[in-house]
Amino acid sequence: MQTLTPILPTVTAAFLASFVEVVEAFTIVLAVGVTRSWRPALTGAALALALLAALVLAFGPLLALVPITTLQFIVGVLLVLFGMRWLRKAILRSVGVIALHDEEAAFSKETAALSQQANDRRADYLAGLASFKAVLLEGVEVVFIVIAVGAAHGQTLYASLGALAAFVLVMLIGLAVHRPLARVPENALKFVVGLMLTSFGIFWTGEGIGADWPGADLALLAIFAIVTLASFAMVRWLRGTYPVSAGGFAR
């Protein structure tokens, strides 16, 4: 399994999915830091990261006790469900059925909420809690994605490196501009991540039930192509039913 065929999709999926989640967490932490102060923002984020690390250290070794075929099947089914959730929302956003995610709007909403709490004696606590919740919730998704795309084929290290690269990149950009990363094509990234997670899920579910994929790991590329074609066909069909908003995925 040391060829580039399984490694590159694993790293790419972990990087893109983690990038999206880190951007969303960063927006909330930035709002807390700018509106209240950086102390509760960074304290809440640090506590959330510490809790995530503890969870990984506590439950990560348990994966080694699960038979590989069982692990592949469970992870595959979960990835299909998880990936389809991302893909469904991305398709609906692309045709204007649901609104595009806007980091500037999310930043403004969080800033307004924190401003209303400014006179509360618990303001610092509430601000830190907002930062903690954002990092923890998005971080749990990152941990799940890293474990899911890496564990079934022994690529957890590579998936972790992809997630770490996403974290470092978002932090560097965010600290440089001190603004929400609104120009990141987040909805397009979610569409791609949905395609990749769904493809991984189908591939590993098949392996878990003993399927002999033609071309072995190369079959993952074929599955990705089929899922992509089916998704864009769905987008095209829905555009005949729903009007596409000016901010849609394809515009």
Side-chain angles (χ1 to χ4, degrees), residues 124-172:
D124 282 346
Y125 167 78
L126 295 173
L129 183 61
S131 179
F132 175 83
K133 287 169 58 179
V135 174
L136 183 63
L137 292 176
E138 305 301 341
V140 166
E141 292 207 30
V142 170
V143 169
F144 170 77
I145 290 168
V146 167
I147 292 176
V149 301
H153 268 186
Q155 304 288 342
T156 305
L157 174 60
Y158 295 107
S160 300
L161 292 176
L164 179 62
F167 175 81
V168 172
L169 180 59
V170 172
M171 291 301 103
L172 290 176

Side-chain angles (χ1 to χ4, degrees), residues 200-218:
F200 271 112
I202 294 172
F203 181 77
W204 286 335
T205 300
E207 287 206 335
I209 60 177
D212 186 13
W213 293 108
D217 291 317
L218 288 173

